[in-house]
Every structure is written in structure tokens, then in C-alpha cells.
Amino acid sequence: MNNHDNGYNVILENLQQCLSEVQVEKGVHYHNLTLFPLVGNEVVEPPYLLLEEAIGQKAAEVQEIHEAGSVPELLLINHADKPILLPEGEILVGAKQNRVINITLLVAAQPKTVIPVSCVEQGRWGYRSRTFEPKFFASPEIRHKKVRSVHRSMERSGRPISDQGEVWQEVAEHHACLQVHSPTGSFTDSFEARRDTLEQYRKHLQIPREASGMVLTRGERILGLDLFDSPRTFNKLSERLLDGYILEALRDNRDTEKPRRKRIREFIAQLPPLARIQGATVGIGVGIRLTSDTISGCGLWYSGKIRHLAVFSAN
């Protein structure tokens, strides 16, 4: 066994330990959506900035890769003295069309980094601004299908590229199901169209400040898991993440019962054996992928910690 294999085994063992130590708190339920907060045993100060923080400090910006633009790529310029964490599923709004980040990335402080993205606004290809802002998170179904296709691309070519047609189809089906009209086919128009409903769900699905992540279910179906290395990181992202899950729940608006915590613990316990090292990734850290017939997920390990884990289930 070479040093690489030893190092990768350490990372996978770290993932297993991280998940075994996570406490699944009592679920909170509203209508057809249940939120189980996840609390870790260790609170760490993140060694990175989130993109919204870096942009707010005028220490970073995201642009089209060049004037003509390229659908699956954007350019991140990081002038901060820390890396920037870009969680999978975060939607960047602006420039020629809105995009969603394909896999979780940690981008070092360096002049320019090309980041892999997918389009979630099929009907626009023209500048509305010169730069992007992180505004929303995609629904778990979009994230699930996107991550699964990225894994296929990584196996074939080593490139974290999604099946763009599949992403566009999922956005169109989402709009049709929620009866949302979007002139440019932008997924983000759903947030405005369902603004009052989102607010109502949020009032009932309160997240404790000590949580580092959450699992969301619609009845017995697990929609997804998002887990971070720090409550600080999760608290800054949790509302936008939750909104994406709420939109997914609205696609099947029937009342459901709250599942037992045992169901969530069983789901988490099955994840470590599915994990594999992704191989080369953009930026710094080591990418992790999780795949089965019904599960797709990705994560990022950096400097001894799992920084973000996102996992989605088809049942």
C-alpha cells in the first residue's frame, strides 16, 4: 500500500468517525416536511470564508470565464488571505445566466480559479451584471441528479461536468409541477413565486444555533443531508439550504407523518461504506463521492476535517 492509499484511508476513516459522532436531534415537522438537526461533538472555527463573506469584504468576485462565456465554467478571483468554501448546490445569480456549483470546492487565495458549474436558467444568455452573487440553493432533486451525473463524468474523463440537459429537464419539471412561470426558465423564479409559503414553512422548522447540519424528509423519504464542519458555517447557509428543500416538498403537497429518528440514524450509518475518494479536484482539499443505486453525494476533506458533506436519496 502506497502513501496515497494510506492517506485516503485516513480520510475515509475521518468521515466514518465524523458521522458516528453526529447526534440526530428531535425532528421538527410541518405539513409534509420534517427537519432533523445534526449536532457534532466538536465546534471548530472554519479556516475559510464563505463566498458571500468574501464578496462582502470586496476580497473576491465571480465572473464569466471570458467575455463570450462558457456554460459549465466560471472564474473565481480570490484576493482574501483565506481559502473560500463553495458548497455544492449553491446558486450564483448574475452575468449571462444563473449557475449552480457542481461539487463542494475550497479555493485557495490565488489570482484566478476556474470552477465547474451547471446552468439553471436555460432561456437567458446575456449580461445582466458583470459578476455573480450567491443567492439561493438548488432543490435536492436537482442536486441529486447533478451530482450523480458529475460522478459519471469523473469516471469517464476526470472532469466534474454535469449532464446539462438533465439539469434543464429537472428545472422544467419543477416549474411545471409548482405551476411557476419563468420567462427565462430560471429555477430561482420559484423562490419569488412561493415566497409566502417558504416563510410559513420556515416559521415552523426552526433550526437550533448549535446545529452543524440537517436531514430533511418528506414522510419516510429522505430528501437529503447537508453537514458542515462548524455551526458558524451552517448557520450562515441554513435558511437558503432549507428553502431549496421546501420547494422540493411542495412538489408533493400531501400531508405526511413525521418519521422516527431511527430512520435517520440508519440512513447515516449506511453512508461510510459508500464513500470513495473522488481523485483530483478543483482547488485544495480532497473530494469524496458517495454512490449507490439510490444515493448520490459529495464531500470535501481539508486539513484533517470533513468540511462539507451533501447526500441525496431517491427513496
Side-chain angles (χ1 to χ4, degrees):
M1 182 177 292
N2 60 36
N3 290 336
H4 241 168
D5 292 334
N6 281 327
Y8 289 165
N9 285 338
V10 168
I11 294 169
L12 295 177
E13 289 169 4
N14 180 238
L15 172 65
Q16 184 168 9
Q17 180 180 355
C18 171
L19 291 176
S20 69
E21 293 176 350
V22 164
Q23 300 173 46
V24 180
E25 300 296 302
K26 183 179 179 181
V28 288
H29 179 80
Y30 178 67
H31 189 34
N32 64 343
L33 192 62
T34 307
L35 186 156
F36 291 89
L38 303 178
V39 177
N41 290 334
E42 183 180 5
V43 177
V44 298
E45 183 64 24
Y48 53 76
L49 296 171
L50 293 171
L51 183 58
E52 62 180 333
E53 294 175 316
I55 290 175
Q57 296 172 15
K58 301 189 184 303
E61 59 183 46
V62 182
Q63 309 171 347
E64 298 290 353
I65 190 171
H66 44 58
E67 187 63 25
S70 172
V71 171
E73 298 172 311
L74 294 177
L75 193 65
L76 171 61
I77 302 171
N78 180 12
H79 298 301
D81 58 1
K82 289 183 177 180
I84 295 175
L85 183 72
L86 306 172
E88 179 280 323
E90 189 165 40
I91 294 177
L92 307 179
V93 173
K96 301 193 81 167
Q97 60 182 191
N98 299 339
R99 315 293 221 289
V100 59
I101 297 170
N102 281 354
I103 55 174
T104 297
L105 307 171
L106 191 63
V107 178
Q110 58 190 49
K112 296 178 181 180
T113 302
V114 176
I115 59 174
V117 294
S118 303
C119 170
V120 285
E121 186 180 17
Q122 185 176 8
R124 177 171 72 93
W125 189 246
Y127 280 102
R128 285 185 179 167
S129 61
R130 303 308 298 185
T131 60
F132 290 87
E133 290 184 76
K135 286 284 191 180
F136 307 98
F137 271 83
S139 69
E141 190 65 22
I142 290 176
R143 297 171 69 187
H144 173 57
K145 291 180 177 178
K146 172 180 59 63
V147 167
R148 185 175 290 276
S149 67
V150 167
H151 291 337
R152 294 195 299 263
S153 175
M154 290 292 291
E155 290 176 354
R156 292 193 305 266
S157 66
R159 301 180 65 208
I161 304 299
S162 74
D163 182 334
Q164 183 59 71
E166 188 176 39
V167 173
W168 278 334
Q169 181 179 355
E170 180 57 35
V171 172
E173 290 176 2
H174 170 89
H175 282 156
C177 188
L178 294 188
Q179 298 182 321
V180 171
H181 172 67
S182 172
T184 62
S186 175
F187 177 78
T188 62
D189 285 343
S190 294
F191 293 100
E192 179 60 30
R194 294 291 181 268
R195 179 175 55 183
D196 292 343
T197 305
L198 290 170
E199 184 176 349
Q200 188 69 20
Y201 269 78
R202 279 193 234 113
K203 287 179 180 178
H204 291 84
L205 299 174
Q206 296 292 314
I207 303 172
R209 296 292 296 176
E210 65 271 21
S212 296
M214 60 186 179
V215 174
L216 276 296
T217 73
R218 183 172 56 204
E220 287 296 316
R221 182 191 168 186
I222 291 176
L223 299 177
L225 170 153
D226 274 283
L227 178 64
F228 291 87
D229 59 349
S230 164
R232 178 186 181 276
T233 298
F234 179 59
N235 288 338
K236 287 181 175 293
L237 300 173
S238 59
E239 183 174 303
R240 292 191 285 130
L241 281 162
L242 178 58
D243 282 355
Y245 284 100
I246 295 169
L247 287 182
E248 186 66 37
L250 295 180
R251 293 178 65 166
D252 184 349
N253 210 24
R254 294 170 292 182
D255 285 344
T256 62
E257 297 294 323
K258 182 171 77 172
R260 294 177 298 169
R261 269 191 281 185
K262 180 182 177 183
R263 169 83 170 106
I264 309 306
R265 294 190 184 106
E266 290 172 346
F267 173 74
I268 293 174
Q270 72 177 303
L271 299 181
L274 303 178
R276 299 291 183 271
I277 297 301
Q278 185 173 264
T281 188
V282 177
I284 56 179
V286 177
I288 298 170
R289 63 174 180 161
L290 299 93
T291 305
S292 74
D293 291 342
T294 58
I295 288 173
S296 67
C298 69
L300 184 78
W301 179 95
Y302 172 73
S303 189
K305 301 287 182 185
I306 302 298
R307 301 299 172 175
H308 178 218
L309 185 69
V311 186
F312 312 100
S313 176
N315 59 18

